[in-house]
Amino acid sequence: MTDSKYFTTTKKGEIFELKAELNSDKKEKKKEAVKKVIASMTVGKDVSALFPDVVNCMQTDNLELKKLVYLYLMNYAKSQPDMAIMAVNTFVKDCEDPNPLIRALAVRTMGCIRVDKITEYLCEPLRKCLKDEDPYVRKTAAVCVAKLHDINAQLVEDQGFLDTLKDLISDSNPMVVANAVAALSEIAESHPNSNLLDLNPQTINKLLTALNECTEWGQIFILDCLANYTPRDDRESQSICERVTPRLSHANSAVVLSAVKVLMKFMEMLPKDLDYYGTLLKKLAPPLVTLLSAEPELQYVALRNINLIVQRRPEILKHEMKVFFVKYNDPIYVKLEKLDIMIRLASQANIAQVLAELKEYATEVDVDFVRKAVRAIGRCAIKVEQSAERCVSTLLDLIQTKVNYVVQEAIVVIKDIFRKYPNKYESVIATLCENLDSLDEPEARAAMIWIVGEYAERIDNADELLESFLEGFHDESTQVQLQLLTGIVKLFLKKPTETQELVQQVLSLATQDSDNPDLRDRGYIYWRLLSTDPVAAKEVVLAEKPLISEETDLIEPTLLEELICHIGTLASVYHKPPSAFVEGSRGVQHKRLPGSAGSGESVDSPDTGSAAGVSEAPPAVIPSQGDLLGDLLNLDLTPPTTTGPPPPTSGMQMGAMDLLGGGLDSLMGDESEPPPIPLRTDTPQSPQLSHQSPSPPDYSPTELGGDLGGNPAMAAGFGAPPAVMPTSFNAPVSGGLDDLFDLGGGVGMPMGSYSPPKTVWLPAMKAKGLEISGTFARRSGVIQMEMTLTNKAMSVMTDFAIQFNRNSFGLAPAGPLQVLTPLSPNQSIEVSLPLNTVGPVMKMEPLNNLQVAVKNNIDVFYFSCQYPISMLFVEDGKMERQVFLATWKDIPNDNESQFQIKDCHLSSDAASNKLQGSNIFTIAKRTVEGQDMLYQSIKLTNGIWVLAELRVQAGNPNYTVSLKCRAPEVSQSVFQSYEAVLKN
Amino acid sequence: MSASAVFVLDLKGKVLICRNYKGDVDMAEIDHFMPLLMQHEEEGLICPVISHGNVHFLWIKHSNLYLVAMTNKNSNASLVYSFLYKLVEVFTEYFKELEEESIQDNFVVVYELLDELMDFGFPQTTDSKILQEYITQEGAKLEVAKSKVPTTVTNAVSWRSEGIKYKKNEVFIDVIESINVLVNANGSVMSSDIVGSIKLKTMLSGMPELRLGLNDRVLFALTGRDKGKTVVMEDVKFHQCVRLSRFESDRTISFIPPDGESELMSYRINTHVKPLIWIESVIEKFSHSRVEIMVKAKGQFKKQSVANNVEVRVPVPSDADSPKFKTSTGHAKYVPEKNLVVWTIKSFPGGKEFLMRAHFGLPSVENDELEGKPPITVKFEIPYFTVSGIQVRYMKIIEKSGYQALPWVRYITQSGDYQLRTNV
């Protein structure tokens, strides 16, 4: 007779019937009824209505029945909290039962009933059970503390259970120790600052002793706990390693992996010249290899971890290539991971064997596996230079198979081989071109186009090939479109005579007919480049590109270190830090490997030393003062206020939101709506008034890298004549086309304003090796932030992004920071970041101060810099004479400021020309008593006009500038620009 | 730390039974499991970890069941999989077969076991022999046993109960070596290793102390003996009864054995082994007409030894038909559902060579589905012999009652993962 009969009652009125049976006098009948209830519960029926009747069966001396009732309670207590109280008495009584099995059962079940009211009653029984004479009860009670802590942490602390739990680490029974360690680790994990596991050499010693005696699971708890400890010195580290290594011989793979985690971490502290260090390295390889004979899921976990271990300590498995050869019956996830490790272990010594294997795999049938195998051949070529030729010929063999996806994949990797070894294998291009028609995947098409563009001068019919793609331009994916644009521009620069038509066609397709902002922008950039300076265009587009390196697929070192500390866990399987996938763990400190012995690092607190996580970085917020913002933005919209001096700037702390600290996530641009630009029309009239409304509304961090094309400032900037209206796109397009080939014609356009030399903004010392120097420039109406990023650290930097704090003129990056290749140590890269002025506005002190956050794979760094205000002088800043006169009179004299420029030896005309280059326009010139008076106008990006009178006296090197503006705050900065422009 | 909940699902994803251990994840999340798994299968990218939002499913499949652990923390994944496999082991020992029916037929015991095997996500007692002492399938029996927790549960020796009695005290030792070989199409051995296993069947009274002596080269080097053949074991794994720190320090294998059957240890030997049964094959495929297969098998082991139950499995195209065979010994059979020819030789003496020819027709309309290139696989067993030359030199049995006990040793070599790639 089996239990399945309990599932078969489906009659009507079942609940009613069960109720009667539950209240039966006969023990046997009662038990049968409870079983039926549990059976119904198992298949998902709601039997909560029977709660009181089932609870009534709780007081029984039949253990099986008791267990079933407890099971029922765990399931339904939460939905019936009031009635659950009924069960408390029995629990309390059971906790004093002479049978330890029942005491343990009661304390175990009580902890699983997550009803607040019950937890209070749990405390006394739990206290007794923690001191029970039977270890079975104590080990169960230890876990119960963790359960209770999960429900009511405060209660657990108040009742002193945590201390009792700590005492249990010294318990005589290893199972109790193991469960106490597990419970403490669990609590510590959810309360990282509780300092619960203050491991010291004494406790470590106790743990290591228990390690030899407890069950396999207990060993894992203890090993995982040990992995959080940082030994005081290399000797302690070695002695722990010595006591942990025997665990590598345990039959349970999880014990082995946890032991590997401890050893990998503690090994960091051992001096490499120590004999023991070498011994340990040798001991690690065999158990890792043996993990590959485990069940496939465990193999998978092992392989993901071996992938990390091989990156951190390649020497461990360097001779074990063969064990990673793929077996026909391996599950696909094992096959793919093995491939990855094969590439990591590939070296000159074993490359022949590896290639033979990869070629074999490439003829398999599983598409994903085959693709990865082909890709792997390419990666081998890039990694082992001596093998490149052999890899290329293997790939050519594979292309001959004409299997569509093999061909496409091969072309993609050959492109990368070209990027690593330029001008070496272009003899294969002919073969590649033969397969042009069969390419239907965007990545392969883009790769092919890149190759044709890159080697256009050596391919006779390059123009035909590229033209064939152009026909269906709009049906291509962005990837292909961008590549085609670049490819054709390259072709044009190499063979300008025959390909004019082609380049015009692609430029107009990209700029006129596409609504993809990236494509359009790239189109415009090429266009301007070609139309203004084809020599520069050649230098830019055909510049020598940095070679790619094999490191691109390596895990970034700090992440790798963190993952090594998480060996065996989900983090090591995903290759992501726990904070990336566990909710509420953002504040949790990232784990780090301890510093090595003799490196001089303090080993006392390695977890806090260099490991400052994002959350700990000091936000560089400078409280801004005064709400002059309104004035700045509105002066030319509202009638001038004649009430005198501007509002005082002191004592008006704005509740400025910390854009830099909190807005990191928005660096990646996952917010969809840009916040409003704060436009305030109510200029504070008096200090008192402004005290009453001290803070503007909070603005959320702005979205960066928004739609470039939709930004009027940028669009205007792209147009050739300065006066082009931003809304009309066709005007600049046709204009640009006309002068595109009129290259020598000397377009009379000012070629950009004064740009100060680069200065160091962010010293390497303050930014973990990243040095940034930079300057600002205004070119063709676009404000550019030009930076040199230098990597002075020892590791590769990737994933750059930039963000600005709110600033006086709403400067914001117009696109993401384009650092496409990883920055190798000692490498510098020049980056030009176009800016727009539609970002959020907040007055800064000084006015032209800009606070910047730059992020890379290592951390986030903050610095501030000052931009010359002349960057903001727009091209259409020439005022009509009449307007000028009227405005001059209209602005109160109080708003006028006068400055002296000393030691300037320019004639007034030369000065005028020079200033015009920076969009300071001379409207009129008057000569009075040998003194030239230049009347000039400037318009800022936010619409503020500045009027100026420049007095130049022949023979006198001192100029006088008078500035009039409705927002006199800008005068000082404008004057500085005058000085800078005239003196450079 | 590990699992928030454990589920047993049927093939359609219906929950047969489950246990919520931590209450921190909504149990309804499991409904996402099967659709995601199906989606991954369709994409050809199955993976043992599936995530849905913050919830992660770690799963294994056993007969017609899925065993799934669910978590929203950074769990110890290797512990979870080990535990799931342990679950299979325990259930199998309880119910003989673990399948949908046995779960339903025994749901009360399954609940009890789930309660005992894991607490708040921490695996607890998972030794089925010990569990069987206090969780039984017979309700009646239970009431007798209920007054005791077996002390074993919390003992340092958690795998053996006290008071075991046998009339005749004996230990049977099986040394089983499996050979893994991967040979590529042009006949060179890509990789080979030996995975050995020493299994015990212990029928000893009381709490005996055992010591096993092997011809382990490291041990011989330690003790300064160097007579006779020794073996280098690349990696050794022990049952938890073996004192690992003792082995680490002086290579002594000492332990109190579990009662009945158990695997005491396993080892891996990396030395290049000559494939014991060597296969040469010529497979010629004439598109649209026929496939001709010629397979030669050669016993590359001592003449005195005999390989038993040899099976050579040769892959054939899935659309092959009308098989014809000719063998110099044994018999060949076509297994169309596996696209294989299985050539069976009951007894294969060392040094001998046998031949099999097969002929298949192919349809004139070709199957345009691309087929994989499965390798030829071989199965065999050679008794009274180990490839590595490993030997049990002694087994010392000491029990405080002082009885005499006899150890019996058996050696066997068999095929493990034995694959030879073909060129078709």
Side-chain angles (χ1 to χ4, degrees):
Chain A
M1 190 54 128
T2 69
D3 296 347
S4 56
K5 63 172 189 244
Y6 300 110
F7 292 99
T8 52
T9 50
T10 49
K11 286 170 285 180
K12 268 190 195 167
E14 190 189 340
I15 296 278
F16 182 75
E17 219 166 88
L18 280 172
K19 211 176 178 83
E21 285 176 39
L22 284 170
N23 292 311
S24 160
D25 298 334
K26 287 180 190 148
K27 267 190 183 175
E28 206 45 41
K29 197 153 195 181
K30 241 184 188 171
K31 196 164 120 189
E32 293 295 292
V34 175
K35 280 193 185 178
K36 281 183 201 164
V37 173
I38 299 292
S40 301
M41 185 182 94
T42 305
V43 295
K45 282 185 201 155
D46 183 9
V47 284
S48 59
L50 295 166
F51 200 92
D53 310 282
V54 177
V55 172
N56 272 336
C57 303
M58 197 170 163
Q59 292 212 25
T60 168
D61 47 6
N62 183 317
L63 189 60
E64 193 189 11
L65 181 57
K66 199 180 262 306
K67 281 183 181 175
L68 291 174
V69 176
Y70 277 7
L71 187 68
Y72 179 92
L73 270 172
M74 281 189 268
N75 261 305
Y76 289 111
K78 217 169 177 182
S79 58
Q80 311 257 352
D82 294 326
M83 278 199 271
I85 299 287
M86 292 163 54
V88 165
N89 257 338
T90 319
F91 275 129
V92 174
K93 215 176 110 215
D94 282 354
C95 284
E96 310 216 345
D97 196 280
N99 183 349
L101 215 49
I102 293 194
R103 294 202 297 276
L105 182 66
V107 79
R108 181 164 66 215
T109 312
M110 266 180 104
C112 293
I113 296 180
R114 301 171 70 88
V115 174
D116 255 342
K117 283 178 194 161
I118 288 202
T119 46
E120 304 166 29
Y121 298 100
L122 181 54
C123 292
E124 280 322 299
L126 177 58
R127 198 184 314 281
K128 273 184 207 148
C129 288
L130 282 166
K131 303 230 151 82
D132 200 285
E133 52 171 20
D134 193 298
Y136 182 75
V137 180
R138 288 203 302 278
K139 85 166 174 108
T140 313
V143 175
C144 187
V145 175
K147 294 179 185 170
L148 194 56
H149 191 272
D150 202 33
I151 304 168
N152 190 340
Q154 195 57 47
L155 185 72
V156 169
E157 273 165 48
D158 295 346
Q159 295 279 332
F161 285 141
L162 292 180
D163 294 324
T164 322
L165 203 51
K166 282 187 208 166
D167 294 343
L168 286 183
I169 290 186
S170 316
D171 198 280
S172 57
N173 186 293
M175 281 285 278
V176 178
V177 178
N179 273 6
V181 167
L184 281 171
S185 305
E186 177 87 15
I187 296 171
E189 201 177 316
S190 53
H191 292 72
N193 301 321
S194 56
N195 199 24
L196 261 182
L197 279 165
D198 51 342
L199 297 171
N200 53 50
Q202 287 75 39
T203 38
I204 291 297
N205 201 33
K206 282 174 197 157
L207 294 185
L208 287 167
T209 311
L211 187 61
N212 287 325
E213 292 171 347
C214 60
T215 67
E216 47 200 319
W217 313 111
Q219 295 183 21
I220 300 172
F221 307 153
I222 292 177
L223 288 168
D224 283 355
C225 176
L226 277 178
N228 290 322
Y229 176 66
T230 307
R232 288 161 304 171
D233 51 34
D234 51 329
R235 288 177 63 185
E236 191 188 7
S237 189
Q238 176 173 345
S239 87
I240 296 175
C241 286
E242 280 167 354
R243 293 175 71 178
V244 167
T245 33
R247 298 301 121 196
L248 294 175
S249 299
H250 201 286
N252 187 326
S253 305
V255 176
V256 175
L257 264 182
S258 286
V260 169
K261 167 163 55 191
V262 175
L263 296 174
M264 281 295 288
K265 186 177 170 186
F266 289 12
M267 220 156 93
E268 296 288 330
M269 293 186 66
L270 300 177
K272 292 206 173 181
D273 48 2
L274 195 71
D275 284 346
Y276 181 71
Y277 177 82
T279 318
L280 196 53
L281 277 185
K282 282 202 200 92
K283 277 189 176 163
L284 277 169
L288 288 173
V289 171
T290 304
L291 288 175
L292 300 183
S293 338
E295 289 83 2
E297 292 83 2
L298 282 161
Q299 271 188 58
Y300 175 70
V301 176
L303 286 164
R304 293 293 283 172
N305 280 287
I306 288 172
N307 199 326
L308 300 172
I309 293 167
V310 163
Q311 290 184 57
R312 183 73 197 168
R313 301 216 175 269
E315 59 272 36
I316 294 178
L317 288 166
K318 67 179 173 197
H319 298 304
E320 305 289 347
M321 171 62 87
K322 283 182 175 183
V323 301
F324 297 102
F325 285 173
V326 170
K327 301 245 176 73
Y328 182 75
N329 42 350
D330 282 333
I332 180 71
Y333 51 83
V334 168
K335 284 184 177 172
L336 295 176
E337 290 310 315
K338 281 187 174 174
L339 257 187
D340 240 359
I341 294 168
M342 281 173 68
I343 303 163
R344 297 218 188 283
L345 293 177
S347 66
Q348 205 183 338
N350 56 27
I351 194 74
Q353 233 181 354
V354 172
L355 268 181
E357 277 294 298
L358 292 175
K359 198 176 172 185
E360 181 82 31
Y361 305 158
T363 58
E364 282 286 345
V365 281
D366 191 317
V367 179
D368 290 298
F369 180 56
V370 170
R371 282 175 181 277
K372 194 154 184 176
V374 176
R375 218 159 258 235
I377 297 174
R379 275 166 68 185
C380 283
I382 291 163
K383 186 168 183 200
V384 185
E385 186 160 1
Q386 296 82 352
S387 77
E389 198 160 339
R390 217 170 339 173
C391 294
V392 171
S393 77
T394 307
L395 288 168
L396 283 180
D397 287 350
L398 290 171
I399 288 176
Q400 300 305 346
T401 63
K402 301 281 174 196
V403 177
N404 191 279
Y405 54 84
V406 174
V407 173
Q408 311 212 41
E409 207 63 45
I411 287 181
V412 172
V413 297
I414 287 179
K415 173 206 68 187
D416 285 336
I417 295 177
F418 282 160
R419 290 172 66 197
K420 168 78 178 181
Y421 311 107
N423 304 321
K424 225 172 156 188
Y425 299 108
E426 64 282 15
S427 56
V428 309
I429 293 176
T431 320
L432 303 185
C433 291
E434 286 165 22
N435 292 285
L436 207 66
D437 298 332
S438 65
L439 309 179
D440 54 12
E441 290 164 17
E443 205 183 349
R445 288 172 80 82
M448 192 65 222
I449 294 168
W450 183 87
I451 293 170
V452 174
E454 192 68 11
Y455 294 94
E457 70 273 29
R458 300 178 216 196
I459 306 172
D460 292 337
N461 60 342
D463 48 344
E464 281 169 39
L465 294 176
L466 292 177
E467 199 172 359
S468 68
F469 285 98
L470 210 52
E471 284 157 22
F473 188 79
H474 291 298
D475 302 327
E476 299 283 2
S477 72
T478 310
Q479 192 183 9
V480 179
Q481 290 175 332
L482 286 168
Q483 211 45 260
L484 197 50
L485 173 61
T486 304
I488 291 179
V489 170
K490 281 184 197 163
L491 172 70
F492 169 68
L493 289 167
K494 288 174 178 177
K495 300 178 177 176
T497 44
E498 314 119 70
T499 55
Q500 282 191 18
E501 205 181 311
L502 200 58
V503 81
Q504 287 193 29
Q505 218 179 326
V506 79
L507 285 176
S508 84
L509 280 169
T511 54
Q512 284 178 0
D513 303 341
S514 169
D515 47 13
N516 180 318
D518 289 341
L519 184 62
R520 208 162 50 189
D521 286 351
R522 199 190 282 190
Y524 278 125
I525 289 165
Y526 283 137
W527 203 325
R528 297 306 314 167
L529 211 50
L530 291 172
S531 61
T532 44
D533 190 348
V535 179
K538 213 162 185 168
E539 272 169 20
V540 171
V541 178
L542 302 182
E544 203 167 300
K545 294 159 197 71
L547 301 183
I548 61 169
S549 69
E550 48 130 346
E551 280 91 28
T552 46
D553 65 323
L554 291 181
I555 294 175
E556 175 281 307
T558 38
L559 176 60
L560 182 61
E561 284 192 20
E562 187 177 355
L563 293 179
I564 290 284
C565 299
H566 289 293
I567 282 178
T569 69
L570 276 179
S572 73
V573 174
Y574 289 136
H575 290 183
K576 283 181 193 161
S579 55
F581 61 89
V582 179
E583 209 169 59
S585 62
R586 294 218 168 208
V588 175
Q589 280 180 345
H590 293 261
K591 290 192 183 178
R592 287 283 182 273
L593 292 175
S596 68
S599 72
E601 266 184 39
S602 148
V603 289
D604 294 332
S605 56
D607 281 345
T608 51
S610 61
V614 168
S615 55
E616 297 169 77
V621 174
I622 301 157
S624 63
Q625 298 178 319
D627 195 1
L628 285 170
L629 207 52
D631 303 53
L632 277 172
L633 282 162
N634 292 300
L635 266 184
D636 56 345
L637 301 173
T638 50
T641 44
T642 49
T643 48
T649 54
S650 61
M652 291 169 59
Q653 297 279 347
M654 290 209 310
M657 214 189 100
D658 167 17
L659 176 68
L660 295 173
L664 282 172
D665 288 344
S666 69
L667 262 178
M668 308 326 297
D670 44 21
E671 272 161 301
S672 53
E673 257 186 299
I677 300 167
L679 261 177
R680 300 192 61 198
T681 46
D682 54 330
T683 323
Q685 292 300 311
S686 70
Q688 275 167 324
L689 187 69
S690 41
H691 273 294
Q692 283 161 3
S693 56
S695 60
D698 272 353
Y699 299 104
S700 58
T702 179
E703 185 203 36
L704 290 161
D707 185 344
L708 241 182
N711 167 1
M714 288 295 290
F718 271 120
V724 164
M725 291 312 291
T727 42
S728 82
F729 265 103
N730 289 335
V733 165
S734 55
L737 257 187
D738 285 343
D739 61 21
L740 178 50
F741 300 107
D742 181 17
L743 297 172
V747 188
M749 211 184 71
M751 280 312 301
S753 58
Y754 158 68
S755 165
K758 282 185 180 171
T759 51
V760 174
W761 285 340
L762 180 69
M765 277 172 59
K766 287 189 175 171
K768 300 186 183 165
L770 174 66
E771 188 192 79
I772 301 180
S773 57
T775 183
F776 293 85
R778 187 178 181 91
R779 298 190 206 290
S780 309
V782 182
I783 306 167
Q784 301 278 1
M785 182 167 180
E786 301 191 328
M787 285 176 285
T788 306
L789 309 183
T790 309
N791 181 353
K792 296 197 170 171
M794 303 302 284
S795 56
V796 175
M797 297 179 176
T798 56
D799 304 325
F800 286 93
I802 194 165
Q803 192 172 11
F804 293 174
N805 199 353
R806 290 192 273 175
N807 53 71
S808 314
F809 294 94
L811 279 176
L817 191 59
Q818 295 282 340
V819 184
L820 297 176
T821 46
L823 198 55
S824 311
N826 283 323
Q827 198 193 341
S828 287
I829 189 169
E830 306 276 345
V831 195
S832 212
L833 179 73
L835 309 180
N836 62 31
T837 52
V838 296
V841 174
M842 179 175 78
K843 199 200 164 205
M844 300 300 292
E845 193 58 48
L847 206 60
N848 56 345
N849 193 22
L850 182 65
Q851 295 175 350
V852 184
V854 169
K855 169 187 163 286
N856 63 10
N857 55 344
I858 294 165
D859 209 334
V860 182
F861 311 105
Y862 304 91
F863 62 84
S864 56
C865 52
Q866 293 180 11
Y867 48 91
I869 207 162
S870 56
M871 295 306 116
L872 304 168
F873 300 172
V874 297
E875 278 70 13
D876 58 343
K878 191 163 183 175
M879 220 176 220
E880 291 290 332
R881 274 183 187 226
Q882 277 77 10
V883 181
F884 183 89
L885 271 173
T887 314
W888 184 271
K889 281 182 189 157
D890 207 10
I891 298 178
N893 285 339
D894 286 340
N895 282 11
E896 183 175 337
S897 354
Q898 214 171 65
F899 303 94
Q900 294 282 324
I901 301 173
K902 293 193 170 127
D903 288 313
C904 194
H905 298 282
L906 295 166
S907 72
S908 62
D909 284 344
S912 172
N913 275 341
K914 215 166 183 182
L915 290 168
Q916 183 154 354
S918 293
N919 294 339
I920 301 172
F921 299 95
T922 305
I923 294 160
K925 182 179 165 186
R926 206 152 53 108
T927 309
V928 180
E929 299 163 358
Q931 189 173 271
D932 287 337
M933 323 266 274
L934 300 176
Y935 292 96
Q936 299 173 317
S937 71
I938 299 163
K939 189 183 168 189
L940 298 181
T941 46
N942 57 357
I944 291 178
W945 287 94
V946 180
L947 310 186
E949 183 197 54
L950 182 67
R951 272 179 276 170
V952 182
Q953 196 156 25
N956 184 351
N958 296 346
Y959 294 4
T960 307
V961 192
S962 300
L963 296 174
K964 258 191 162 182
C965 179
R966 291 198 169 106
E969 300 79 21
V970 301
S971 299
Q972 178 69 35
S973 314
V974 171
F975 158 67
Q976 283 164 1
S977 291
Y978 261 88
E979 194 162 48
V981 171
L982 287 172
K983 288 190 177 173
N984 286 285
Chain B
M1 163 149 279
S2 68
S4 287
V6 171
F7 299 85
V8 180
L9 310 181
D10 69 5
L11 286 179
K12 290 178 189 144
K14 195 183 90 183
V15 178
L16 295 175
I17 207 160
C18 63
R19 174 64 201 258
N20 187 353
Y21 286 110
K22 294 183 71 177
D24 56 353
V25 187
D26 182 3
M27 294 296 273
E29 285 283 342
I30 193 68
D31 297 339
H32 298 292
F33 171 73
M34 194 46 77
L36 283 169
L37 181 65
M38 308 256 275
Q39 188 192 329
H40 287 197
E41 253 170 29
E42 256 166 50
E43 291 164 1
L45 292 169
I46 54 162
C47 183
V49 196
I50 294 179
S51 62
H52 177 263
N54 286 325
V55 182
H56 311 273
F57 304 106
L58 293 85
W59 63 278
I60 64 170
K61 195 179 171 187
H62 180 86
S63 68
N64 55 358
L65 299 173
Y66 289 101
L67 286 90
V68 187
M70 182 167 89
T71 178
N72 62 355
K73 297 269 157 49
N74 180 30
S75 299
N76 186 328
S78 51
L79 176 143
V80 173
Y81 290 119
S82 289
F83 178 75
L84 291 177
Y85 275 103
K86 192 58 126 182
L87 218 54
V88 172
E89 195 184 309
V90 170
F91 287 163
T92 311
E93 278 179 48
Y94 262 84
F95 316 131
K96 299 280 179 284
E97 297 277 331
L98 172 59
E99 54 193 9
E100 195 175 333
E101 295 71 32
S102 55
I103 293 284
Q104 277 190 340
D105 290 351
N106 300 285
F107 78 95
V108 174
V109 180
V110 173
Y111 273 131
E112 278 188 59
L113 286 174
L114 286 174
D115 197 40
E116 199 64 44
L117 288 165
M118 184 176 257
D119 193 7
F120 202 54
F122 307 124
Q124 300 290 311
T125 309
T126 54
D127 192 308
S128 67
K129 286 198 196 74
I130 306 305
L131 286 166
Q132 271 164 348
E133 289 180 25
Y134 65 111
I135 297 177
T136 61
Q137 280 156 287
E138 295 304 317
K141 239 191 205 172
L142 188 113
E143 275 170 76
V144 185
K146 70 159 193 168
S147 56
K148 263 186 200 164
V149 191
T151 46
T152 331
V153 173
T154 47
N155 258 355
V157 181
S158 62
W159 54 88
R160 185 184 179 93
S161 294
E162 291 187 39
I164 296 169
K165 276 210 174 75
Y166 286 97
K167 271 189 192 158
K168 196 174 174 192
N169 290 300
E170 289 175 307
V171 186
F172 299 90
I173 307 165
D174 276 344
V175 181
I176 303 162
E177 287 194 342
S178 304
I179 310 205
N180 301 324
V181 186
L182 180 61
V183 181
N184 76 2
N186 54 32
S188 54
V189 179
M190 302 300 295
S191 65
S192 65
D193 62 7
I194 302 165
V195 176
S197 160
I198 297 185
K199 294 186 174 168
L200 298 183
K201 186 172 178 187
T202 315
M203 300 163 82
L204 298 171
S205 313
M207 285 298 227
E209 269 290 338
L210 271 62
R211 246 170 68 205
L212 176 69
L214 300 172
N215 55 341
D216 169 13
R217 185 169 305 166
V218 184
L219 175 68
F220 277 43
L222 273 176
T223 52
R225 260 178 310 196
D226 60 343
K227 42 187 178 196
K229 191 177 186 276
T230 56
V231 171
V232 185
M233 293 181 284
E234 184 79 11
D235 189 32
V236 195
K237 293 280 178 270
F238 290 107
H239 185 276
Q240 66 167 322
C241 66
V242 177
R243 297 179 182 95
L244 295 181
S245 29
R246 181 102 193 259
F247 179 76
E248 181 79 10
S249 63
D250 61 10
R251 301 288 279 194
T252 308
I253 303 170
S254 76
F255 56 98
I256 298 170
D259 188 42
E261 289 178 27
S262 60
E263 183 180 62
L264 178 71
M265 64 181 278
S266 64
Y267 55 88
R268 192 166 47 77
I269 297 175
N270 248 0
T271 49
H272 199 96
V273 275
K274 194 153 80 175
L276 295 180
I277 292 191
W278 182 249
I279 301 288
E280 278 170 40
S281 68
V282 181
I283 302 176
E284 281 181 296
K285 191 173 166 184
F286 303 91
S287 284
H288 316 298
S289 73
R290 64 189 198 279
V291 183
E292 281 177 8
I293 298 169
M294 197 274 292
V295 177
K296 192 166 79 179
K298 191 179 170 192
Q300 306 194 100
F301 47 91
K302 273 184 265 171
K303 286 203 175 74
Q304 308 90 290
S305 292
V306 174
N308 294 330
N309 304 319
V310 178
E311 272 185 23
V312 183
R313 298 158 169 254
V314 187
V316 292
S318 61
D319 51 358
D321 54 36
S322 45
K324 281 175 216 150
F325 305 108
K326 219 165 116 186
T327 56
S328 61
T329 190
H331 72 279
K333 203 175 109 194
Y334 177 41
V335 189
E337 64 272 20
K338 288 182 178 160
N339 302 318
L340 284 177
V341 176
V342 181
W343 175 24
T344 316
I345 302 160
K346 277 271 165 270
S347 152
F348 195 136
K352 284 278 187 318
E353 214 178 276
F354 299 113
L355 210 66
M356 188 266 295
R357 285 175 193 279
H359 179 285
F360 286 86
L362 284 177
S364 51
V365 183
E366 199 161 349
N367 186 356
D368 39 279
E369 223 172 274
L370 215 54
E371 282 181 34
K373 295 199 299 177
I376 294 177
T377 55
V378 186
K379 282 188 161 185
F380 59 85
E381 257 179 39
I382 306 173
Y384 318 117
F385 162 76
T386 54
V387 222
S388 67
I390 200 164
Q391 278 178 344
V392 174
R393 292 178 46 249
Y394 59 81
M395 168 74 98
K396 289 193 176 142
I397 303 160
I398 301 162
E399 216 278 338
K400 55 176 185 277
S401 66
Y403 58 71
Q404 287 295 309
L406 282 178
W408 305 92
V409 189
R410 226 169 22 168
Y411 298 97
I412 194 164
T413 291
Q414 63 185 28
S415 58
D417 205 346
Y418 203 100
Q419 304 188 355
L420 303 100
R421 293 179 186 158
T422 64
N423 46 13
V424 175

